[in-house]
Amino acid sequence: MSDKNKPLMNTTRRQALGLLALGASGVVLSGLPGFSRAMAQGKDAKGQLTVGFSQEPTVFNPHMPHIEVDEGIHFSIFDPLFYVDEKGAFVAALAAEVPTVENGGISADGLNWKVKLRDGVKWHDGKPFTAEDVKFTLELLVDPNFRSWRKTGHEFVRDLTVVSPTEITWRMEKPFAPYPSILASTFITPKHLLGAEADRNTAAYNNAPVGTGAFKWKERVAGDYILLDANKDYFGDGPHIERLIYKYVPDLNVMYTQFKTGDIDVVGLQWITPDHYDEAKDLAGKVVNVVPGSTIESLSFNMERPQFKDPAVREALYAAIDKQSIIEALYYGLPTPTESYVPQQSFYYNPDLPKHEYSIEKAKKLLDDAGWAPGADGVRAKDGVKLAFTCSTTAGNHIREQVQQYMQQSFKDIGVEMTISNLPPAVMWGDYWMLSKFDSVIVGLDFLTGPDPDTSDFFRSTSSGAKGGSGQNTWQFVNKDVDDLLAKGGSLFVPEERKTVYLKIQEIMRKELPLLPLFQYATVRGHKQGVENVTPNVNTRIDTWNVSTWRVA
């Protein structure tokens, strides 16, 4: 990735305090480019675009546990107070301006917040958006009766006060440096609709969402597509598309074929597989590029399974994976091998972690020394626990399925039995993943919140949904040192000081190996020639972060 596209993370102490280290980005824009009532506001919306997703969006309330593909819909229907653009800058959306110390939005100690909101914004049903909706949303996320996808950061908010329809204040129980980046991925939901539901977990709203975003919910045909219509009362520049279709195509080969034939205009998650790149880059009428991504591919373990509790097992399995051959043979050398969950373009990336060594002999010795002895069937066991497990991923992702076959053979060579058990995306990434019902999983994850290095939502011991927590610690990983370091990192506001903390967390994760890091994505993105503003953004989890600005030339 070029310097031009890196998150801007080298902030001085004064800048960090002045901006409350907004995700350590240090860049703030006062409003969305062209955001004014003079703009077209969707009146020039015409035609339709079809976006292909290999996973099916199924969670439409943005505050319930969900994965990346669901955010493709969230970005279309909802808005946050502000968001992070492709350069790492914070840009105002529902907020009239990004709060800072300089503009009086944040006190110098980071404890008191005052957010001014954009006037005249309407929900899709015509009701006015106000500060009451912001208050409702922030309270909903920490409601003990609501199945919230993220409480991190929001749990420190106190004394939410609606000063006027366009101004809200609160104080933080303690300063928390990642909070601006968390707010940038927190979509605001309507109090008058969702707040009126008796049970927000099973609310009718969850299947027919109403937002302030550039597109309005029209219909969904489960297992096929989601249709959105242009919101012609949108407060920003756009939308420029009359109809937006999200098409579910679980087989990546079929999705590529539909891109070639023109049935799909934009190839979204999981994009074009590397084995099609040589042909795709020369397709007439298509724009195809290789884009570095922030997603890290891993073999992830459920740490509550007895066979994975022994660190020697996790280390041996890592040694038995021929990462480089997998990258070269199946991914055509495009991704970059990694030892960390942090993207290598990040200011917080640790380049000094131990390098992976592929060695079947080392793997065998680790298991021998740890007392895992082969049985009559050749599968190792110890203390009555057989070294056998299932490995799951998205059915229809043919490259991941080939990766599983590589691993299955390598693991067999060291006396480990891995059974492949893949599931449709809606099942795979639902409760099976979020509530840790798996043994092991091949998964690609974006661990950071925008450019901010905090991973409390993933690695804090209280963030496991399977254990009653709120978060995405699906590994059920518990480490007191990591918990303490995450708390310390969240209390620091100068990037140079925070960096030391997050370098150490990466060291611990590399040693403990609840996930075996394989590579950082380099994705092959494609769209029809003439579709404008489809812009990669390493700071978000999905391509449609700026879908309101997409247009057909």
Side-chain angles (χ1 to χ4, degrees):
M1 177 176 288
S2 69
D3 288 339
K4 178 181 178 183
N5 291 323
K6 290 181 182 177
L8 307 178
M9 297 189 177
N10 291 295
T11 328
T12 66
R13 175 181 291 271
R14 184 177 183 280
Q15 288 171 325
L17 291 174
L19 301 173
L20 196 63
L22 291 180
S25 158
V27 181
V28 174
L29 300 182
S30 61
L32 291 171
F35 260 35
S36 74
R37 286 284 162 184
M39 298 306 295
Q41 295 185 335
K43 293 177 182 177
D44 69 338
K46 58 185 178 182
Q48 71 178 35
L49 278 181
T50 299
V51 181
F53 282 156
S54 66
Q55 299 169 3
E56 184 178 13
T58 59
V59 181
F60 309 117
N61 181 334
H63 305 311
M64 300 190 73
H66 64 269
I67 59 173
E68 287 91 332
V69 71
D70 300 306
E71 291 180 12
I73 309 300
H74 302 164
F75 271 109
S76 306
I77 293 176
F78 299 97
D79 295 294
L81 294 173
F82 46 86
Y83 68 94
V84 185
D85 72 8
E86 77 278 11
K87 297 182 178 67
F90 283 77
V91 183
L94 290 175
E97 59 183 1
V98 178
T100 65
V101 172
E102 282 76 7
N103 64 25
I106 305 172
S107 61
D109 59 8
L111 294 176
N112 295 297
W113 288 62
K114 178 173 65 177
V115 180
K116 296 178 181 178
L117 304 174
R118 199 175 293 275
D119 194 12
V121 176
K122 294 180 180 179
W123 294 100
H124 294 157
D125 62 2
K127 299 291 185 182
F129 158 76
T130 73
E132 290 287 353
D133 299 305
V134 180
K135 183 175 186 290
F136 164 74
T137 297
L138 297 183
E139 289 176 339
L140 176 66
L141 285 159
V142 295
D143 183 341
N145 296 316
F146 178 66
R147 194 180 165 202
S148 171
W149 87 295
R150 174 189 281 155
K151 293 184 180 179
T152 301
H154 303 302
E155 62 201 347
F156 302 131
V157 174
R158 300 288 184 272
D159 302 331
L160 275 161
T161 303
V162 173
V163 178
S164 74
T166 57
E167 186 174 322
I168 186 169
T169 64
W170 66 82
R171 69 176 178 86
M172 303 292 286
E173 182 181 278
K174 64 179 183 179
F176 188 58
Y179 197 50
S181 286
I182 291 170
L183 279 177
S185 61
T186 300
F187 297 100
I188 306 302
T189 44
K191 177 182 178 180
H192 71 281
L193 292 176
L194 189 53
E197 300 272 9
D199 182 355
R200 283 86 184 252
N201 298 295
T202 59
Y205 175 90
N206 297 344
N207 294 311
V210 171
T212 57
F215 292 91
K216 300 189 291 186
W217 184 267
K218 179 67 174 179
E219 68 175 351
R220 176 196 180 208
V221 176
D224 193 354
Y225 68 87
I226 293 169
L227 172 62
L228 306 180
D229 281 345
N231 173 18
K232 296 188 178 181
D233 291 323
Y234 190 51
F235 59 89
D237 175 14
H240 307 288
I241 308 299
E242 181 70 28
R243 288 157 49 100
L244 185 61
I245 299 169
Y246 288 101
K247 189 175 182 181
Y248 168 47
V249 187
D251 188 303
L252 292 172
N253 286 320
V254 173
M255 186 159 74
Y256 173 65
T257 298
Q258 292 191 6
F259 173 61
K260 284 202 302 181
T261 59
D263 294 317
I264 290 174
D265 300 307
V266 180
V267 182
L269 207 73
Q270 294 274 334
W271 309 288
I272 298 170
T273 53
D275 52 327
H276 291 305
Y277 175 61
D278 277 346
E279 178 189 36
K281 62 184 174 59
D282 296 323
L283 289 175
K286 312 293 183 183
V287 178
V288 174
N289 294 303
V290 178
V291 178
S294 58
T295 305
I296 306 299
E297 187 89 345
S298 72
L299 174 62
S300 285
F301 300 126
N302 183 341
M303 297 286 280
E304 286 299 315
R305 296 292 191 261
Q307 56 268 56
F308 298 135
K309 287 186 177 291
D310 185 344
V313 168
R314 305 193 298 273
E315 190 176 351
L317 292 174
Y318 197 29
I321 296 175
D322 188 353
K323 285 205 293 188
Q324 196 58 46
S325 291
I326 288 172
I327 290 170
E328 291 174 1
L330 300 181
Y331 290 91
Y332 291 75
L334 295 178
T336 305
T338 188
E339 303 298 335
S340 176
Y341 59 88
V342 175
Q344 295 173 37
Q345 292 76 24
S346 171
F347 174 68
Y348 297 95
Y349 170 70
N350 188 338
D352 300 320
L353 300 174
K355 296 294 185 261
H356 169 265
E357 176 192 359
Y358 167 59
S359 172
I360 293 295
E361 293 308 312
K362 176 183 177 182
K364 289 179 178 178
K365 187 174 188 308
L366 283 164
L367 294 175
D368 288 340
D369 292 349
W372 292 88
D377 58 357
V379 179
R380 295 175 183 263
K382 177 183 177 181
D383 300 331
V385 176
K386 196 171 183 179
L387 199 40
F389 57 91
T390 61
C391 178
S392 306
T393 196
T394 311
N397 187 325
H398 62 284
I399 294 189
R400 276 187 182 162
E401 289 170 345
Q402 292 175 63
V403 170
Q404 287 175 310
Q405 292 163 20
Y406 262 69
M407 291 182 179
Q408 187 180 50
Q409 183 58 52
S410 291
F411 293 163
K412 183 179 180 180
D413 292 343
I414 64 171
V416 176
E417 181 180 74
M418 185 186 94
T419 302
I420 298 171
S421 178
N422 295 337
L423 299 166
V427 179
M428 180 71 222
W429 307 116
D431 287 351
Y432 185 75
W433 167 250
M434 296 303 296
L435 296 182
S436 306
K437 296 180 179 181
F438 60 90
D439 288 347
S440 72
V441 164
I442 294 182
V443 60
L445 293 170
D446 291 79
F447 289 87
L448 306 194
T449 304
D452 194 275
D454 179 67
T455 49
S456 299
D457 204 44
F458 290 96
F459 300 145
R460 191 170 59 181
S461 59
T462 56
S463 295
S464 168
K467 295 179 177 178
S470 176
Q472 302 180 75
N473 184 354
T474 52
W475 305 271
Q476 303 191 73
F477 175 73
V478 177
N479 185 291
K480 185 180 184 302
D481 289 339
V482 170
D483 285 348
D484 291 344
L485 287 165
L486 287 169
K488 181 179 180 181
S491 69
L492 300 173
F493 292 89
V494 177
E496 289 79 8
E497 296 175 7
R498 298 185 77 198
K499 185 172 185 176
T500 302
V501 172
Y502 295 102
L503 294 181
K504 181 62 178 176
I505 293 174
Q506 290 170 74
E507 288 179 14
I508 295 173
M509 299 306 293
R510 175 60 179 81
K511 179 182 179 182
E512 293 296 317
L513 292 175
L515 61 127
L516 308 183
L518 301 177
F519 55 79
Q520 181 179 338
Y521 276 31
T523 56
V524 182
R525 310 287 179 96
H527 61 267
K528 182 175 68 176
Q529 198 165 38
V531 179
E532 298 178 349
N533 298 327
V534 181
T535 307
N537 186 347
V538 74
N539 302 299
T540 62
R541 304 206 302 173
I542 198 72
D543 311 59
T544 54
W545 67 277
N546 68 335
V547 70
S548 67
T549 69
W550 290 12
R551 67 168 75 230
V552 179

